[in-house]
C-alpha cells in the first residue's frame, strides 16, 4: 500500500507503543508500523471531591508525586519540512563507469592518426577511435519521496475553582496545577519517544526483511565461524562473555571502517541495468545503537575499557535498555514498511512480520533514520462560562522516514534451527 499524503490518525499506535515501552503489556505485541512510516491505596476514607472523584479532601500537607521525563532515542535525526508540504524529495545518483581513453592510441582504439578527426572515424563499420568530446554522458538520478503525516492530540482540563477545597492554599493549588502540566508533559515525551521507537523498529525490521549483502550480521554464527566453535547464543552471553565481547568490539570497529568505503553493500538499491547505487558513510555520519544490558554486563564482569568513549563517542552512540517491550527487552516483533523491491509499482509495501529474539544493535548512516516534525502546537479554549473550566489541547503531526538506500548493519544473535531427527515423520 502506498503511503498516503492525507493525515493518518495514529493515536492508537502511540498508545500501544507507550504501553509496550512502559511495561503495561506483559508480552511483546506485533507492532504494525507499515502504515505509519514514510501508562497503594488510591484515596483516603475521608472522601473525595466530586469533580475528578480522585482527590481526597484536604487533611494536611500534600506532596506532588510527579517529576519531568525526557524522551529517549534522541539519536534519531530530526528534520522539519514545515506545515505546508509534509513531504520530502531525496535525490541520489547512480554510479557511472569510466570511459575509454581518447588521448592515446590503445589496444582498443586508434585515436591519433593522420587524417583522423575528433569523431569515431568509422571505417568499414568499425569505430576506430572514440567519440568526440561532445559525447553526452547524462547523470542518472534516483528520486525517493517520503510523504504523509501521522497525527494525534492530547488534552487536559483545568478547573477554575472547583478543586480548591482539596488544598490548603493558593500556593498548594498552584503546585497541583503544575503537577498536572508536568505529568501531561511526561505523557507527551513518552509519545515522542514512542514515535522515535516506532521509526527505529520499522527500520531494524526493514533492514532484516530486505536482507541486503552485509546488512544483517548474526553474531553467534560469525563468532563460531571465526573461531571454529559451536557455542549457543546463551553460552556466548554467559560462559564466554569476555571472548564474545572482544569479538563484538572488533566486529563493530571493522564494520565502522568498512562503511567509510564507497560500496554497494549494506544498503538497498533500486535495480537499474548497467548502474550501481554506491554509498559511503564517514565516521561523523555514523550512528550506533546497542542493547545496553549486554554492555553493562561487559563493563561489570569483563573489563570496563572495552567500550569506552574512545570507541563509542557519545554524540554518535546511544545505549538502549529495551527495543520494543521492557518485559521482553532484547526482542522485536514488527511488520515494517519497506520499498517495493520488484520495481513494478514504485510505492512502499508492507514487509513480512519480523520476529527476532535478541537484537544486539545497529550501526547506520544518520540520513537513514529521520523524524519529520511537521506540527507541534498547543492552544487553550476560553473559559466555559457556565461550568468554569478550560481545556488545553496539543496537536502533533509527524512523519517517520526510513531510507533503506542508506547504509545500515543490524547485529542479532540467533542459534541455527535444529536439524530434524532421523525418525521424524516415521
Amino acid at each position: 500500500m502506498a503511503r498516503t499524503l492525507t493525515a493518518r490518525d495514529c493515536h492508537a499506535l502511540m498508545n500501544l507503543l507507550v504501553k509496550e515501552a512502559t511495561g503495561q503489556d506483559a508480552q511483546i505485541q506485533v507492532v504494525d508500523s507499515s502504515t505509519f512510516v514514510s501508562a497503594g491505596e488510591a484515596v483516603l476514607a475521608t472522601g473525595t471531591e466530586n469533580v475528578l472523584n480522585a482527590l481526597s479532601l484536604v487533611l494536611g500537607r500534600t506532596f506532588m508525586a510527579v517529576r519531568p521525563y525526557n524522551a529517549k532515542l534522541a539519536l534519531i535525526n530530526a528534520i522539519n519540512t514545515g506545515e505546508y508540504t509534509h513531504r520530502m524529495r531525496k535525490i541520489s545518483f547512480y554510479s557511472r563507469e569510466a570511459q575509454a581513453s581518447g588521448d592515446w592510441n590503445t589496444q582498443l582504439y586508434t585515436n591519433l592518426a593522420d587524417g583522423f578527426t575528433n569523431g569515431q572515424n568509422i571505417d568499414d563499420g568499425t569505430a576506430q577511435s572514440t567519440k568526440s568530446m561532445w559525447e553526452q554522458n547524462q547523470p542518472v538520478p534516483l528520486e525517493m519521496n517520503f510523504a504523509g503525516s501521522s497525527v494525534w492530540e492530547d488534552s487536559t482540563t483545568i478547573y477554575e475553582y472547583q478543586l480548591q477545597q482539596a488544598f490548603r492554599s493558593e500556593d498548594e493549588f498552584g503546585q497541583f496545577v503544575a503537577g498536572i502540566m508536568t505529568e501531561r508533559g511526561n505523557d507527551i515525551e513518552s509519545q515522542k519517544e514512542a514515535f522515535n521507537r516506532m521509526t527505529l523498529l520499522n527500520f531494524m525490521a526493514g533492514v532484516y526483511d530486505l536482507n541486503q549483502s552485509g546488512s544483517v550480521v548474526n553474531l553467534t554464527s560469525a563468532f563460531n565461524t571465526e573461531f571454529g566453535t559451536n557455542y549457543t547464543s546463551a553460552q556466548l552471553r554467559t560462559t564466554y562473555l569476555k571472548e564474545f565481547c572482544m569479538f563484538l568490539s572488533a566486529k563493530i570497529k571493522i564494520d565502522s571502517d568498512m562503511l567509510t568505503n564507497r560500496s554497494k553493500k549494506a544498503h538497498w538499491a533500486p535495480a537499474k541495468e548497467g548502474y550501481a547505487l554506491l554509498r559511503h558513510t564517514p565516521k561523523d555520519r555514523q550512528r550506533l545503537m546497542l542493547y545496553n544490558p549486554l554492555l553493562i554486563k561487559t563493563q561489570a564482569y569483563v573489563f570496563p575499557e572495552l567500550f569506552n568513549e574512545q570507541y563509542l563517542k557519545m554524540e554518535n552512540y546511544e545505549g538502549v535498555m529495551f527495543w520494543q517491550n521492557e518485559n521482553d527487552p532484547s526482542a522485536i516483533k514488527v511488520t515494517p514498511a519497506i520499498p517495493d523491491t520488484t520495481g513494478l509499482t514504485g510505492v512502499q509495501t508492507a514487509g513480512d512480520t519480523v520476529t527476532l529474539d535478541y537484537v544486539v544493535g545497529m550501526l547506520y548512516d544518520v540520513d537513514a533514520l529521520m523524524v519529520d516534525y511537521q506540527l507541534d502546537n498547543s492552544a487553550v479554549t476560553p473559559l466555559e462560562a457556565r461550568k468554569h473550566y478550560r481545556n488545553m489541547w496539543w496537536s502533533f503531526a509527524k512523519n517517520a522516514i526510513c531510507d533503506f538506500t542508506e547504509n545500515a548493519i543490524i547485529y542479532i544473535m540467533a542459534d541455527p534451527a535444529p536439524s530434524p531427527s532421523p525418525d521424524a515423520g516415521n
Side-chain angles (χ1 to χ4, degrees), residues 21 30 85 177 206 242 258 264 300 310 313 323 361 424:
V30 176
T85 57
V177 174
K242 179 176 180 179
M258 289 296 294
K264 68 176 184 179
Q310 177 184 354
K313 295 185 182 300
W323 298 115

Side-chain angles (χ1 to χ4, degrees), residues 403-417:
D403 186 356
F404 296 98
T405 70
E406 298 288 355
N407 284 333
I409 302 173
I410 181 174
Y411 300 97
I412 67 171
M413 298 187 76
D415 297 327

Side-chain angles (χ1 to χ4, degrees), residues 54-130:
L55 297 177
S56 60
L57 296 177
V58 65
L59 294 177
R61 180 183 175 184
T62 302
F63 179 78
M64 302 303 168
V66 61
R67 60 188 59 166
Y69 179 77
N70 293 319
K72 294 180 173 61
L73 301 177
L75 200 63
I76 295 175
N77 198 16
I79 61 171
N80 187 346
T81 58
E83 298 178 22
Y84 294 97
T85 57
H86 288 189
R87 68 200 71 177
M88 182 184 76
R89 180 176 65 170
K90 183 174 180 179
I91 298 177
S92 305
F93 294 91
Y94 284 96
S95 172
R96 287 178 284 172
E97 296 182 348
Q99 296 172 275
S101 174
D103 57 353
W104 304 90
N105 288 333
T106 67
Q107 82 281 11
L108 299 178
Y109 295 104
T110 300
N111 295 301
L112 309 176
D114 187 37
F116 273 29
T117 68
N118 68 345
Q120 283 187 284
N121 298 290
I122 298 176
D123 182 16
D124 297 329
T126 301
Q128 293 182 294
S129 63
T130 59

